Amino acid sequence: MDYLQLEGIKSLNGTIKISGAKNASLPLIAMTILAKNSVHIKNLPSVVDINTLLKLLTNLGASCDFHDDKVLVNTSNITETKATYDIVKTMRASILVLGPILTRFGHCEVSLPGGCAIGQRPIDLHLKALEQMGAKIDIKSGYIEASAPNGLVGCDIIFDKITVTGTANIIMAAALAHGNTTLTNAAREPEVVQLCEILNDNGVKIEGIGTAILSIHGTGGKCIDIKEFSVIPDRIEAGTYLCAAAITRSELTLSHVEPKHLSSVLAKLQEMGSSFTLTKDTITIHPSSDIKPVKIVTQEYPAFPTDMQAQFLALATQANGVSIIEERLFENRFMHVSELQRMGADITLNGNIATVNGKNTLSGTDVMATDLRASSALVLAALVADGITNIHRIYHLDRGYDKLKEKLQAVGAKIKRLKE
Ligand code: UD1
């Protein structure tokens, strides 16, 4: 197993190119199941989760030709409709194939994803919505068995709670359904918006894109032709590197980024003292030597993302004063706190609220990555810690950060990838 070794540094300097968004790529790859042609996707990040989903599709019989940041996916030769436990257990987002396989083939089996480090993460809303569309769903021996031999039928669905992959799953299911589906309380994340836009550009009419009420006009079982497209930039990767600049009080430029998707993150960084120069696709962060404390509540887009909570918590350890960070989406998303405490952070946890009593002197030590974004919080802390920090279990980082070591090294970080 590999680990990352970082040495605390004075500052970073230069430009980081932001990769395509992992969380946009996953539903867009699943969407190729709806296509009758081979689909070209550009600007994919080179991360393990993408390989996992492509492997899942390959196991079903699809062909996937992935090199550099491009993939050509042909799903016309899919013969299998079962997503097995060995893959699903490594990536919960595998559930994204349920909607498209069921709507195209009339049946699908997907292993239940099970628990997760950051919370229970049920998929009841995905299943309830598919049942409303006429699917028969049984849970047997750890598998979801879904069937709709005559196709799914559009209907009115109201999500009890906003779910990102749930929204994507039902949009894809509705795309080939008979009639119209209205989805109320839909997620409005940019990754969901891109899925809608691509479908809408390729023969599935969708109204209300970017709003909480989507109306999807199904094709009545007909697969669609999907033209080549490019994945949107990764707003969470971008946010993480902005925090790297802020915590090291460095000026950094991010290129190939979409500033509009980062409004809530930029607003919080501004409150903490940073300022920015923005163009259409770059952000230059001008840091402040005095990092101010902050109050953050994680919520659905366009509010502050839960996927940036851990990184801001690391940043708050360097703020002059008391920051309060409340996690509203996942019940157990503070696993990074105990590792940061081992580095010297003064953090008190009370349920879903973390109080950070800055400013803390951090010291390098051995720490363990516990989930994807928690791992990046440890990288940020290590950048300003005294001495050497070894971050173990970095397979979590590999799931979602494209060339993190190389990107940080290129702007001056002292970071090595070593074998245990
Ligand atoms: C997606 C993102 C993840 C991000 C999360 C919240 C991908 C691949 N992953 O995860 O990075 O942290 O959105 O922005 O895009 N819920 C239910 N029942 C359901 C579905 C969800 O109760 O059927 C609950 C979840 O437990 C959670 C909340 O709804 O408390 C939001 O979860 P959801 O938006 O579904 O997260 P994911 O789509 O899994």
Side-chain angles (χ1 to χ4, degrees):
M1 229 188 289
D2 291 357
Y3 68 100
L4 282 181
Q5 185 170 82
L6 284 103
E7 201 180 321
I9 38 128
K10 292 237 160 6
S11 65
L12 304 169
N13 175 30
T15 300
I16 296 180
K17 182 181 173 198
I18 298 306
S19 299
K22 168 183 87 74
N23 285 355
S25 305
L26 294 171
L28 292 168
I29 290 170
M31 178 196 69
T32 64
I33 295 168
L34 307 175
K36 57 177 185 252
N37 63 321
S38 295
V39 184
H40 279 276
I41 309 180
K42 296 192 298 185
N43 200 36
L44 284 172
S46 180
V47 297
V48 169
D49 274 8
I50 300 299
N51 293 332
T52 304
L53 186 56
L54 293 174
K55 183 165 174 229
L56 194 165
L57 290 190
T58 308
N59 287 354
L60 300 179
S63 56
C64 304
D65 183 9
F66 184 27
H67 51 262
D68 303 326
D69 64 347
K70 297 178 199 67
V71 72
L72 179 65
V73 187
N74 180 355
T75 59
S76 65
N77 34 12
I78 284 186
T79 46
E80 266 295 327
T81 55
K82 181 171 180 173
T84 49
Y85 177 68
D86 54 329
I87 293 215
V88 179
K89 72 169 190 227
T90 65
M91 189 183 69
R92 300 182 56 80
S94 305
I95 192 69
L96 282 165
V97 301
L98 176 61
I101 295 180
L102 179 63
T103 200
R104 177 164 173 189
F105 297 99
H107 52 90
C108 179
E109 280 179 66
V110 180
S111 168
L112 277 170
C116 170
I118 63 172
Q120 281 202 343
R121 303 184 78 175
I123 47 153
D124 55 314
L125 301 174
H126 304 227
L127 303 185
K128 190 173 155 200
L130 290 172
E131 277 179 330
Q132 277 183 264
M133 298 177 79
K136 183 173 175 304
I137 298 202
D138 292 309
I139 307 290
K140 271 194 206 147
S141 311
Y143 277 79
I144 304 155
E145 293 183 7
S147 64
N150 301 316
L152 294 169
V153 182
C155 63
D156 290 344
I157 294 164
I158 303 176
F159 274 143
D160 292 339
K161 202 171 181 181
I162 299 175
T163 158
V164 176
T165 48
T167 301
N169 230 340
I170 300 312
I171 291 167
M172 293 187 279
L176 301 195
H178 299 276
N180 298 343
T181 302
T182 304
L183 184 53
T184 302
N185 207 20
R188 292 178 287 159
E189 270 65 5
E191 295 76 19
V192 171
V193 170
Q194 184 173 32
L195 174 69
C196 290
E197 284 171 346
I198 306 271
L199 285 169
N200 192 53
D201 287 347
N202 290 283
V204 179
K205 188 172 170 214
I206 303 185
E207 287 153 324
I209 296 177
T211 75
I213 304 181
L214 297 171
S215 181
I216 304 130
H217 299 257
T219 64
K222 290 193 207 73
C223 288
I224 52 175
D225 269 312
I226 301 178
K227 297 186 285 282
E228 177 180 292
F229 63 87
S230 195
V231 176
I232 57 170
D234 196 315
R235 63 194 166 99
I236 306 301
E237 187 198 20
T240 303
Y241 291 128
L242 291 173
C243 286
I247 202 168
T248 56
R249 299 166 175 80
S250 309
E251 182 158 304
L252 270 188
T253 297
L254 308 185
S255 69
H256 297 75
V257 68
E258 175 50 89
K260 277 194 293 223
H261 295 165
L262 281 147
S263 303
S264 61
V265 169
L266 295 180
K268 286 295 161 192
L269 284 169
Q270 208 160 18
E271 276 178 46
M272 296 179 88
S274 298
S275 58
F276 306 94
T277 305
L278 306 181
T279 69
K280 200 170 106 324
D281 60 359
T282 67
I283 300 176
T284 300
I285 173 167
H286 313 291
S288 155
S289 53
D290 173 33
I291 303 177
K292 296 188 182 69
V294 72
K295 281 200 173 116
I296 288 176
V297 177
T298 66
Q299 287 180 80
E300 295 86 0
Y301 191 87
F304 188 88
T306 174
D307 286 350
M308 284 303 302
Q309 177 257 102
Q311 300 89 318
F312 269 75
L313 206 145
L315 178 57
T317 66
Q318 301 308 298
N320 291 307
V322 178
S323 297
I324 298 179
I325 300 183
E326 184 175 345
E327 172 58 52
R328 290 252 182 106
L329 271 87
F330 294 109
E331 64 269 25
N332 191 27
R333 204 172 198 180
F334 277 125
M335 307 264 283
H336 39 290
V337 166
S338 46
E339 296 304 291
L340 291 171
Q341 283 167 334
R342 293 186 56 253
M343 295 177 76
D346 181 356
I347 306 170
T348 314
L349 253 190
N350 188 358
N352 65 334
I353 299 177
T355 305
V356 188
N357 301 299
K359 175 189 177 183
N360 310 142
T361 302
L362 302 180
S363 318
T365 184
D366 285 279
V367 287
M368 205 139 68
T370 48
D371 72 59
L372 173 56
R373 306 305 169 184
S375 321
S376 59
L378 299 179
V379 171
L380 297 177
L383 286 172
V384 290
D386 292 334
I388 304 273
T389 305
N390 295 313
I391 306 177
H392 302 274
R393 301 201 181 166
I394 53 163
Y395 51 82
H396 291 292
L397 275 173
D398 294 338
R399 284 190 40 220
Y401 283 94
D402 186 4
K403 302 179 201 71
L404 174 120
K405 184 200 76 171
E406 290 77 5
K407 289 187 185 192
L408 281 175
Q409 230 164 24
V411 293
K414 290 192 176 160
I415 178 169
K416 290 183 199 157
R417 189 177 176 115
L418 301 168
K419 296 257 174 246
E420 295 280 2

